[in-house]
Amino acid sequence: MNFFSTSKTLGILGGGQLGKMLLYTTRKWDIKTSVLDPKENAPARLACDSFTKGDLTNFQAVYDFGKKVDVLTIEIEKVNVKALEKLAQEGVKVYPQPHVLRTIQNKCLQKKFYESHNIPTASFEEFETLDQVKEAVIKGELSFPFVWKSAEMGYDGYGVSIVHSNKEIESLNIGPCLIEELVHVEKELSVIVCSRPQGEMVHYPVVESEFHPMANQVEYVLCPARIPGEVAKKAVEVALKTAKAYGQIGLLAVELFLTSEGDILVNEVAPRPHNTGHYSIEASYTCQFEQHIRAVLDLPLGKTASKIAAVMVNLVGKKGYAGPVVYKNIDQILGIKGVIPHIYGKKDTRPFRKMGHVTIIHPKIDTARKMAAQLKETLSVISK
Ligand code: ADP
């Protein structure tokens, strides 16, 4: 199927920043695109050929949208999987495949998937209600601290809590959840794998994420990760095993924990472009967004190696500010060589909302990391 300067259409469910960045490639290659998103002024709206406003979790909205495209992909996991299953049965190419989304949409199903495929992951137990968790604590079957994860509403650390006491249990959601062992995490790593229908599979170098202590959100991503070669090798092996088990088409970001004992555990995966791959726009031979488009259109995959080291800094709304956004001192940071900001186009900021990111490229990763810390001091996302 030829998508280059033809009427064939690639549909994307979700029009946020990931959708917008996917469209840089479709613009470059003159590939026709349609985007579905609930927000009238979604960031991706400007760069697609047609935009439909609609609820991504609604069967009819997703089905009707999918009927008009030739290949359908996603930039967000929370979409109506039943509609995708029906579309796939009726001949629309849906990547990632619906079965992958069904597994990952529920954290309990996802963890059981790792268990059944012998993929290393933190030990866990599934609970139907919060009352059952409380009972397990009373009976001495669970002891503090542990990690609580809501089965179905996770996103960027919302729906995840480290629980130290009975009092803290009271603030959690009452619904189905996963209780995980609290792992001693030495480093959070991630490996992005990509596959095309014909069978080719490639992976990016191992990257390292540093988290914001308060927001439990990724603050910096470093490529390459500052780890010994044998640890990187192990991380890649686990990521490839995970990707093969899913058998998904397109990108699969595999989030990993390197424990203080030196083990590599899979935390979770995302079958779409991922925050830990944004550095690839400037630093890799083929950026993750182009790679995903290549994969879902069954084109040869590109080279994943880096041209240079990079650190990505997430630009999130500063605490205490909400309303029309201002990027304070952005002109100053543009004056530093090797610093490239990306602004997603969200008009209003709120505390910790992802508004953009900045990539710093430098031959030395340690220098790039220092520049990143300085940049955080200079640039701030505030409101008017
Ligand atoms: P989300 O889907 O909301 O991103 P995650 O499952 O990735 O949630 O958890 C968010 C963060 O919480 C992780 O990146 C990690 O820092 C921490 N975390 C999650 N699970 C554990 C665990 N079992 N042990 C220690 N820390 C964890």
Side-chain angles (χ1 to χ4, degrees):
M1 222 192 288
N2 187 348
F3 280 75
F4 298 85
S5 288
T6 68
S7 60
K8 294 266 179 290
T9 304
L10 170 66
I12 304 173
L13 296 177
Q17 63 264 21
L18 301 175
K20 183 183 174 194
M21 290 185 273
L22 277 171
L23 296 173
Y24 298 165
T25 297
T26 57
R27 282 287 176 198
K28 180 168 73 181
W29 286 345
D30 195 32
I31 289 169
K32 211 170 150 216
T33 52
S34 291
V35 168
L36 179 71
D37 193 275
K39 291 202 191 89
E40 194 69 57
N41 57 357
R45 181 162 194 160
L46 269 176
C48 60
D49 294 277
S50 85
F51 179 83
T52 308
K53 186 171 177 264
D55 180 354
L56 296 165
T57 60
N58 179 276
F59 177 90
Q60 209 58 41
V62 171
Y63 179 76
D64 291 347
F65 176 82
K67 277 311 249 187
K68 297 191 205 116
V69 304
D70 300 281
V71 172
L72 185 58
T73 191
I74 55 149
E75 62 106 56
I76 184 166
E77 293 98 310
K78 265 186 239 150
V79 294
N80 190 292
V81 177
K82 277 213 174 90
L84 295 184
E85 282 163 348
K86 188 160 161 62
L87 287 163
Q89 276 161 14
E90 292 171 6
V92 179
K93 292 195 163 53
V94 181
Y95 301 132
Q97 304 93 313
H99 73 86
V100 178
L101 287 168
R102 191 167 280 293
T103 305
I104 60 118
Q105 275 184 349
N106 183 295
K107 282 187 194 259
C108 296
L109 278 182
Q110 190 175 157
K111 288 287 281 192
K112 285 194 270 192
F113 179 84
Y114 301 136
E115 198 175 47
S116 65
H117 287 84
N118 268 325
I119 291 168
T121 193
S123 61
F124 67 98
E125 211 175 321
E126 194 181 351
F127 290 89
E128 281 303 313
T129 64
L130 198 61
D131 281 339
Q132 289 177 4
V133 177
K134 290 181 196 166
E135 254 174 61
V137 171
I138 293 166
K139 286 187 190 156
E141 292 161 1
L142 260 185
S143 53
F144 301 117
F146 55 74
V147 182
W148 167 90
K149 297 184 179 183
S150 170
E152 285 200 332
M153 38 149 297
Y155 181 73
D156 270 350
Y158 305 113
V160 174
S161 249
I162 298 177
V163 184
H164 303 88
S165 64
N166 280 313
K167 193 168 163 242
E168 283 177 14
I169 297 186
E170 294 306 325
S171 60
L172 304 172
N173 278 339
I174 54 171
C177 66
L178 185 71
I179 299 297
E180 268 184 37
E181 137 204 34
L182 178 68
V183 174
H184 291 282
V185 181
E186 185 78 27
K187 269 187 198 289
E188 300 211 20
L189 306 174
S190 111
V191 179
I192 296 179
V193 184
C194 193
S195 314
R196 67 182 280 209
Q198 239 183 51
E200 188 184 3
M201 183 183 270
V202 294
H203 69 86
Y204 282 84
V206 184
V207 303
E208 168 188 348
S209 302
E210 288 183 40
F211 276 71
H212 187 283
M214 259 167 58
N216 201 13
Q217 228 181 24
V218 175
E219 191 171 24
Y220 303 107
V221 174
L222 291 80
C223 182
R226 297 162 299 177
I227 49 172
E230 66 270 21
V231 175
K233 195 165 160 254
K234 201 160 152 187
V236 168
E237 277 168 16
V238 171
L240 291 177
K241 183 175 179 181
T242 307
K244 282 178 193 151
Y246 277 110
Q248 107 298 352
I249 302 301
L251 295 173
L252 187 78
V254 185
E255 296 180 16
L256 303 161
F257 295 142
L258 168 62
T259 69
S260 41
E261 293 84 33
D263 293 324
I264 296 283
L265 305 178
V266 173
N267 177 33
E268 59 173 4
V269 300
R272 54 165 171 79
H274 196 247
N275 195 221
T276 61
H278 290 356
Y279 78 90
S280 65
I281 296 176
E282 286 84 13
S284 306
Y285 282 94
T286 312
C287 85
Q288 63 163 345
F289 301 98
E290 178 179 323
Q291 198 75 277
H292 188 70
I293 301 289
R294 285 174 180 247
V296 300
L297 301 186
D298 205 8
L299 297 166
L301 301 180
K303 180 168 165 168
T304 51
S306 293
K307 295 181 272 191
I308 190 161
V311 175
M312 188 237 31
V313 183
N314 273 328
L315 286 184
V316 300
K318 194 169 171 169
K319 212 177 152 204
Y321 294 87
V325 64
V326 175
Y327 296 91
K328 193 175 159 213
N329 295 332
I330 191 158
D331 45 348
Q332 271 188 46
I333 69 131
L334 277 162
I336 313 167
K337 304 295 176 232
V339 171
I340 308 104
H342 292 251
I343 303 296
Y344 298 152
K346 300 172 187 174
K347 302 302 170 217
D348 289 318
T349 184
R350 332 181 260 275
F352 302 112
R353 186 177 193 199
K354 279 187 186 160
M355 301 297 287
H357 72 264
V358 182
T359 307
I360 298 144
I361 52 171
H362 195 280
K364 291 202 177 104
I365 191 72
D366 293 329
T367 310
R369 177 62 183 80
K370 278 183 198 137
M371 288 166 74
Q374 283 162 7
L375 183 146
K376 287 278 289 190
E377 292 294 305
T378 313
L379 181 59
S380 52
V381 183
I382 57 172
S383 52
K384 273 184 194 151

